[in-house]
Amino acid sequence: MKTEIYASILQNIANGKKMLAVLIDPDKCTNEHLQTLLPLLKEHTPNFIFVGGSQLKISFSNLIETFKKEINIPVVLFPGDVTQFSPNADALLFISLISGRNAEYLISQHVNAAIPIKKSGLEVIPTGYILIDGAKKSAVEYISNTQPIPRDKNDIALATALAGELLGMKTIYLEAGSGANMPVPLEMIQHVKSQISVPLIVGGGIKNNAQLQAAYHAGADLVVIGNVLETEPEKIEEFLKD
Ligand code: 1GP
């Protein structure tokens, strides 16, 4: 099994470099949006493109090819369910929704996906996905029928992250939900980061550079930005300035 993308994440952390991923929801990525976004991303290139959504209605293999050809940027699948798979990507976050208690998203989808993933040879990054209350009901909460961790329950978030790490997950993802009103609380990021040793991914509701820098400062190694670039793609410049 390949390990290049995960190795690059570890290398960036070892070098003290924070990382940014731009999340593309193929259902929302019209041709027109892509024409605006691609030149901007060529000039201001994040570390990764993540591709995925809660419920995708369209195939996205062509979209992945376009990103790889036009920008030569690693594309990582961030699937909402088992159907969101493409061997054209560079890696796959193999996500288990460990904040929830719904076996479907803890292990069942994974069993259905395991054989095709293994056959594809795609790099797999086992990810403990922890949904935090983002002050707005998220699509993940609704679709998975699970509850997010309350914003003030830092110890529950920490215990969940540690359980994921102890189970062998290679990253922990603190998620406030796409389009969250409030990002993951900084104190919670700090609390979790202080005790885990695997890379920490944070996303959901980050809309400006101050919030991005605050998440980095609190301990996020990799931050995922989605919604804000759908309406204001030019903001990528602000997110990537030092
Ligand atoms: C969602 O964490 C990502 O899964 C990004 O969230 O779309 O709110 O930036 P936003």
Side-chain angles (χ1 to χ4, degrees):
M1 195 71 82
K2 293 183 203 154
T3 56
E4 285 93 340
I5 301 290
Y6 189 66
S8 76
I9 291 173
L10 294 181
Q11 191 61 54
N12 278 324
I13 294 171
N15 294 341
K17 286 191 189 148
K18 298 293 184 178
M19 290 160 278
L20 185 75
V22 168
L23 173 64
I24 304 291
D25 180 339
D27 275 349
K28 296 189 198 159
C29 192
T30 60
N31 273 341
E32 195 188 356
H33 180 61
L34 201 56
Q35 294 319 314
T36 312
L37 194 60
L38 280 174
L40 286 165
L41 292 180
K42 270 185 197 168
E43 206 177 329
H44 311 284
T45 308
N47 300 83
F48 305 105
I49 295 290
F50 280 9
V51 175
S54 301
Q55 281 186 307
L56 291 193
K57 294 180 280 300
I58 59 167
S59 153
F60 50 84
S61 278
N62 288 346
L63 190 62
I64 293 174
E65 286 301 297
T66 304
F67 278 110
K68 288 170 63 82
K69 196 169 110 219
E70 298 281 333
I71 323 180
N72 191 23
I73 182 171
V75 175
V76 178
L77 297 175
F78 175 49
D81 63 39
V82 68
T83 63
Q84 295 176 31
F85 174 70
S86 167
N88 297 342
D90 295 289
L92 161 79
L93 296 187
F94 202 45
I95 292 169
S96 182
L97 179 56
I98 58 175
S99 54
R101 299 296 179 266
N102 182 346
E104 185 67 27
Y105 293 92
L106 277 165
I107 184 64
S108 190
Q109 295 265 336
H110 314 69
V111 172
N112 291 333
I115 290 175
I117 290 172
K118 180 77 179 170
K119 277 189 182 151
S120 75
L122 192 65
E123 177 174 347
V124 172
I125 304 175
T127 299
Y129 190 64
I130 302 178
L131 185 62
I132 310 298
D133 180 4
K136 180 180 174 184
K137 189 156 186 152
S138 66
V140 178
E141 177 181 351
Y142 181 76
I143 301 274
S144 68
N145 199 17
T146 66
Q147 290 192 29
I149 294 176
R151 297 182 64 76
D152 61 348
K153 301 296 184 208
N154 291 341
D155 277 340
I156 297 179
L158 173 60
T160 308
L162 285 174
E165 184 173 331
L166 291 169
L167 281 164
M169 287 158 184
K170 293 290 196 324
T171 63
I172 294 296
Y173 191 139
L174 293 178
E175 168 71 272
S178 186
N181 283 337
M182 297 171 81
V184 177
L186 299 175
E187 250 184 62
M188 186 179 276
I189 297 175
Q190 261 163 0
H191 195 60
V192 169
K193 179 64 183 177
S194 71
Q195 300 216 35
I196 63 168
S197 50
V198 294
L200 181 61
I201 306 174
V202 173
I206 293 178
K207 301 179 189 79
N208 56 52
N209 193 35
Q211 289 174 320
L212 174 71
Q213 297 305 327
Y216 284 151
H217 190 69
D221 298 304
L222 167 59
V223 171
V224 185
I225 308 276
N227 263 266
V228 70
L229 297 179
E230 287 165 12
T231 47
E232 299 167 89
E234 65 289 344
K235 272 207 169 176
I236 187 66
E237 182 175 1
E238 173 189 329
F239 286 123
L240 283 169
K241 77 173 178 228
D242 293 328

